Amino acid sequence: MKDRKSQFEDLARHIRSKSQQDALIWTPSNYINSYQTPLGNGVVLITHNEDEVSYGNEPIPEFCLAFINERGETIHSIEAFTKSDPQYELLKDIYYSAYDSYMRTDETYRSMMDAIMKL
């Protein structure tokens, strides 16, 4: 059986794939630059921190994917602090697909392009 880290990394890859296919419904969370989607008995939360800040001596990750149980507790998270972190691109892809899903970026762009072409 895979270890916990591998299991959640595998789940994150599936989340990226399903999110890019618009199969997940992302909504804003209570946190700035964060989106969430229900999944099974829990919630997945993706957060993007644009500023290079730290909390005390602890750096804050640029991207964080948190897996939250039905009681609102984080059971596991995957973090990327810099572009050189192995999970950086995975988390970046999830964040921007969640953003585009909520903002309806593609649909809005297409409708704007259709409207301008009719003028």
Side-chain angles (χ1 to χ4, degrees):
M1 184 168 160
K2 293 181 179 179
D3 64 30
R4 177 172 290 178
K5 181 180 179 218
S6 296
Q7 287 176 324
F8 281 98
E9 286 174 355
D10 188 44
L11 179 55
R13 285 188 290 277
H14 287 291
I15 290 167
R16 172 177 56 188
S17 175
K18 294 299 182 181
S19 186
Q20 290 174 334
Q21 297 169 13
D22 288 328
L24 298 174
I25 306 300
W26 293 94
T27 59
S29 78
N30 293 334
Y31 305 104
I32 191 166
N33 295 328
S34 297
Y35 298 93
Q36 62 188 17
T37 187
L39 195 59
N41 291 335
V43 172
V44 177
L45 175 72
I46 184 73
T47 302
H48 175 46
N49 179 37
E50 296 174 349
D51 301 322
E52 291 183 28
V53 296
S54 61
Y55 184 73
N57 291 334
E58 295 292 319
I60 296 176
E62 184 173 344
F63 292 102
C64 179
L65 181 67
F67 302 91
I68 301 167
N69 67 17
E70 57 195 9
R71 292 186 303 266
E73 303 162 320
T74 299
I75 57 173
H76 189 79
S77 64
I78 301 172
E79 300 171 337
F81 293 86
T82 66
K83 290 180 181 180
S84 62
D85 286 341
Q87 300 302 326
Y88 184 89
E89 289 300 321
L90 172 67
L91 299 182
K92 179 181 169 187
D93 289 348
I94 293 170
Y95 177 81
Y96 283 107
S97 64
Y99 173 88
D100 286 341
S101 172
Y102 174 71
M103 298 298 283
R104 301 175 81 176
T105 305
D106 292 339
E107 181 180 314
T108 303
Y109 169 79
R110 283 191 302 273
S111 71
M112 289 176 167
M113 185 61 85
D114 288 347
I116 197 74
M117 297 308 280
K118 291 177 183 176
L119 295 178

